[in-house]
């Protein structure tokens, strides 16, 4: 479905780069199908350097949003929320209802985008995480009033090529943001801490980080591939009177569970506060 589509990524920063890198790495699209934009001429070199370090061929980056949007079948809006109004004003005259607009901006609602773009433009709101650059991203999607099943499939194909995808009610986007978009930050801290433990016990930092990160990856795969409840999988690792139960008791005493729950709830509250658009 994407092989014949031109995609404009407006705002090739951290996330825009991650999406493009992931799409190219997956082989879903060729570099010639992508045009990217940034906000400044200095930004062009930065974005090209990042992308070209990761991809085999060159993706064109410019600052002309109108030109990029006009020629695209799919327009991905990946600027910061505070730059969104200006961007929408600029590209609005170039858009028509045969195109699909996908916004990845946090705190920018479908209603806001639809009001700005008007003329029944199909819009999908997406909340990916930066792991899309590795092909193991997690993206939540919500469809606007004018997005058909076909548009939903196109958006799904884009984000499926760089990880997993769920459609969910837009009302849950703050929760989604707090859990899976902010989630890598929490889990980096967990991996960093486990690696510190390894260092404390005499393992080199490099090896300790590999042990921790690969263990996190394998654990996630166990859950996704077996479909088992995490508690049951945890039980299967915990030998009676063994060492794991002692480690788990420390986690309980340190209130790991409630801390993680509170972290996600707090981040969701913050996302709600940030909701200006
Ligand atoms: N990072 C994440 O993990 C993540 C996750 C989910 C959603 N998001 C959403 O993704 C969006 C981008 O976040 P980010 O972390 O990638 O930010 P970022 O790294 O600051 O990237 C923003 C990019 O937008 C460009 N830009 C600014 N004004 C522009 C304009 N008028 N036209 C075209 N490009 C323009 C900037 O270019 P210059 O550098 O030249 O100014 C920069 O390349 C945000 O709305 C955020 O809410 C991010």
């Amino acid at each position: 479905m994407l092989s014949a589509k031109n995609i404009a990524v407006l705002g090739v920063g951290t996330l825009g780069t991650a999406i493009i890198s992931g799409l190219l790495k997956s082989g879903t699209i060729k570099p010639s199908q992508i045009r990217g934009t940034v906000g400044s001429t200095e930004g062009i070199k930065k974005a090209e350097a990042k992308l070209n370090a990761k991809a085999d061929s060159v993706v064109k980056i410019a600052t002309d949003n109108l030109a990029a949007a006009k020629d695209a079948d799919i327009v991905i809006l990946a600027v910061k929320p505070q730059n969104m109004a200006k961007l929408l004003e600029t590209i609005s005259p170039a858009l028509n209802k045969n195109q699909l607009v996908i916004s990845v901006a946090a705190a920018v609602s479908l209603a806001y985008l639809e009001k700005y773009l008007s003329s029944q433009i199909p819009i999908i709101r997406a909340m990916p995480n930066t792991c899309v650059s590795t092909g193991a991203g997690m993206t939540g999607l919500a469809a606007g009033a004018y997005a058909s099943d076909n548009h939903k499939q196109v958006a799904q194909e884009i984000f499926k090529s760089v990880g997993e995808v769920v459609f969910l009610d837009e009302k849950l986007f703050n929760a989604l943001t707090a859990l899976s978009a902010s989630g890598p930050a929490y889990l980096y801290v967990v991996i960093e801490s486990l690696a510190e433990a390894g260092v404390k016990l005499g393992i080199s930092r490099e090896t300790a980080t590999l042990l921790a990160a690969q263990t996190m990856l394998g654990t996630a795969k166990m859950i996704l591939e077996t479909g088992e409840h995490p508690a049951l999988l945890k039980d299967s690792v915990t030998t009676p009177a063994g060492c794991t139960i002692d480690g788990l008791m420390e986690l309980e005493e340190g209130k790991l569970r409630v801390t993680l729950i509170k972290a996600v709830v707090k981040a969701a509250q913050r996302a709600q506060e940030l909701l200006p658009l």
Side-chain angles (χ1 to χ4, degrees):
M1 216 185 274
L2 292 176
S3 59
K5 305 271 189 205
N6 288 323
I7 302 179
V9 179
L10 309 184
V12 183
T14 307
L15 188 63
T17 304
I19 293 171
I20 296 173
S21 311
L23 280 168
L24 292 176
K25 207 186 282 181
S26 72
T28 317
I29 51 164
K30 296 187 290 294
S32 57
Q33 290 173 259
I34 300 185
R35 282 177 78 173
T37 64
V38 287
S40 57
T41 39
E42 308 85 75
I44 295 180
K45 277 205 191 92
K46 215 167 75 187
E48 283 183 345
K50 271 203 259 168
L51 275 174
N52 300 339
K54 289 177 186 167
D56 293 340
S57 356
V58 178
V59 172
K60 283 202 187 90
I61 307 287
T63 53
D64 190 342
N65 289 313
L66 191 68
K70 206 159 103 191
D71 295 337
D73 301 296
I74 300 159
V75 180
I76 300 180
L77 311 177
V79 297
K80 292 275 189 201
Q82 60 268 29
N83 295 324
M84 189 59 86
K86 195 160 168 262
L87 177 65
L88 293 173
E89 265 168 29
T90 308
I91 63 168
S92 183
L95 296 178
N96 64 66
K97 57 184 179 186
N98 297 318
Q99 294 168 294
L100 170 64
V101 172
I102 300 175
S103 167
V104 296
V108 178
S109 67
L110 284 166
Y112 178 90
L113 294 163
E114 274 162 2
K115 202 173 90 195
Y116 249 99
L117 294 178
S118 64
S119 49
Q120 308 191 345
I121 304 281
I123 303 174
I124 303 260
R125 183 174 170 191
M127 181 48 66
N129 63 21
T130 45
C131 305
V132 290
S133 66
T134 68
M138 183 66 240
T139 303
L141 298 173
Y146 306 109
S148 65
D149 284 347
N150 188 48
H151 296 123
K152 284 160 83 172
Q153 271 174 29
V154 169
Q156 178 156 334
E157 193 182 342
I158 289 179
F159 291 101
K160 194 86 186 161
S161 68
V162 291
E164 283 299 325
V165 174
V166 287
F167 273 93
L168 77 181
D169 194 316
E170 196 189 14
K171 278 191 272 185
L172 293 171
F173 261 52
N174 290 334
L176 172 75
T177 302
L179 178 49
S180 58
S182 304
Y186 316 143
L187 299 178
Y188 289 135
V189 172
V190 172
I191 290 176
E192 190 194 2
S193 309
L194 292 173
E196 288 275 290
V199 171
K200 170 80 180 151
L201 294 169
I203 300 172
S204 75
R205 184 164 298 277
E206 198 186 1
T207 303
T209 304
L210 173 65
L211 293 174
Q214 178 64 20
T215 303
M216 175 83 84
L217 180 67
T219 305
K221 278 185 156 221
M222 288 292 287
I223 293 172
L224 294 173
E225 287 176 13
T226 64
E228 292 274 13
H229 191 291
L232 288 178
L233 290 167
K234 179 205 68 187
D235 289 354
S236 72
V237 183
T238 313
T239 314
C243 48
T244 307
I245 188 67
D246 279 15
L248 287 170
M249 278 170 61
E250 286 294 321
L251 293 184
E252 294 296 346
E253 204 169 289
K255 299 190 167 46
L256 179 75
R257 284 170 198 263
V258 76
T259 304
L260 288 173
I261 294 167
K262 283 168 80 176
V264 176
V265 171
K266 195 82 179 171
Q269 284 166 355
R270 183 70 186 133
Q272 177 68 32
E273 283 167 20
L274 289 175
L275 230 151
L277 307 174

